[in-house]
Amino acid sequence: DSGVTQTPKHLITATGQRVTLRCSPRSGDLSVYWYQQSLDQGLQFLIQYYNGEERAKGNILERFSAQQFPDLHSELNLSSLELGDSALYFCASSVQGAYNEQFFGPGTRLTVL
Amino acid sequence: TQLLEQSPQFLSIQEGENLTVYCNSSSVFSSLQWYRQEPGEGPVLLVTVVTGGEVKKLKRLTFQFGDARKDSSLHITAAQPGDTGLYLCAIKEETSGSRLTFGEGTQLTVNP
């Protein structure tokens, strides 16, 4: 158990819909990262938050957004969903240290039908 | 162009065999991490290597950071079915919020 929690574990929805994925980092970790993992794309970095502020952006679509709340949990919002958005979405947290070692949650498997 | 190239992409071996997987780049890194991911689970950090030439051991797993800090290898001795998984290397990008960039991974299958 990494100490990072994600809900829900599975999510099935239809094209055009909007969903919210939730992540709680390890106690004491200020940084939260979101990744998308699909079969043909590997682990793709989406966005990073540090203590409530956006720190870095990766290959995140405009239809996707995220935020980190004062209690440090984070939410990833996916809207106008397309079939190609079906993937595993992982959240990770870290102490903002020298090596930035990350601890991953169990992921949310999103299926868009 | 991938910042990190991992090879081989797929590896299927029998229990008891030894294997080595590689992570290479044309850039120099201050540190490199190895993760293992099992199906349906999140990646789990195995080790961080920092010094050129450094060797770290974790039971039957031996990690080496190249002298020039541009490559790394993971050697598994006497592989077991429990070693099956996706092995990912990652480096920290200093210029982008200290995010990690991952290689595509080596999918290892150890058959009983």
Side-chain angles (χ1 to χ4, degrees), chain A residues 9 33 35 37 41-45 48 55-58 90 96-106 109, chain B residues 2 30-31 33 35 37 40-45 47-48 50 86 88 92 94 96-100 102-104:
Chain A
K9 181 74 171 170
Y33 307 79
Y35 294 88
Q37 188 177 43
Q41 290 278 320
L43 198 62
Q44 299 291 315
F45 169 73
Q48 175 199 358
R55 178 63 66 95
K57 256 186 176 179
F90 289 104
Q96 195 74 4
Y99 309 129
N100 207 28
E101 293 159 335
Q102 296 188 8
F103 296 85
F104 283 78
R109 181 175 291 280
Chain B
Q2 286 288 326
S30 58
S31 65
Q33 299 169 24
Y35 291 77
Q37 184 179 17
E41 303 289 330
V44 175
L45 177 67
V47 77
T48 300
V50 178
L86 180 67
L88 297 158
K92 175 179 143 180
E94 306 291 349
S96 302
S98 298
R99 73 189 222 195
L100 291 183
F102 286 82
E104 294 289 307

Side-chain angles (χ1 to χ4, degrees), chain B residues 56-71:
Chain B
K56 281 192 173 179
K57 292 195 173 185
L58 187 65
K59 296 183 181 178
R60 294 175 293 99
L61 278 59
T62 301
F63 304 85
Q64 184 160 10
F65 203 13
D67 291 341
R69 291 183 295 132
K70 295 167 68 172
D71 56 86

Side-chain angles (χ1 to χ4, degrees), chain B residues 8-68:
Chain B
Q9 188 176 359
F10 298 96
L11 186 57
S12 181
I13 62 171
Q14 293 301 119
E15 183 175 0
E17 292 183 4
N18 302 330
L19 67 113
T20 303
V21 299
Y22 302 91
C23 176
N24 297 293
S25 176
S26 56
S27 301
V28 176
F29 303 118
S30 58
S31 65
L32 185 144
Q33 299 169 24
W34 284 95
Y35 291 77
R36 178 169 67 209
Q37 184 179 17
E38 298 185 17
E41 303 289 330
V44 175
L45 177 67
L46 296 174
V47 77
T48 300
V49 286
V50 178
T51 307
E54 179 178 8
V55 176
K56 281 192 173 179
K57 292 195 173 185
L58 187 65
K59 296 183 181 178
R60 294 175 293 99
L61 278 59
T62 301
F63 304 85
Q64 184 160 10
F65 203 13
D67 291 341

Side-chain angles (χ1 to χ4, degrees), chain A residues 5-16:
Chain A
T5 61
Q6 287 187 250
T7 56
K9 181 74 171 170
H10 301 277
L11 197 49
I12 300 174
T13 188
T15 54

Side-chain angles (χ1 to χ4, degrees), chain A residues 31-49:
Chain A
S31 279
V32 169
Y33 307 79
W34 286 97
Y35 294 88
Q36 180 191 57
Q37 188 177 43
S38 53
L39 284 175
D40 59 347
Q41 290 278 320
L43 198 62
Q44 299 291 315
F45 169 73
L46 296 178
I47 197 164
Q48 175 199 358
Y49 278 82

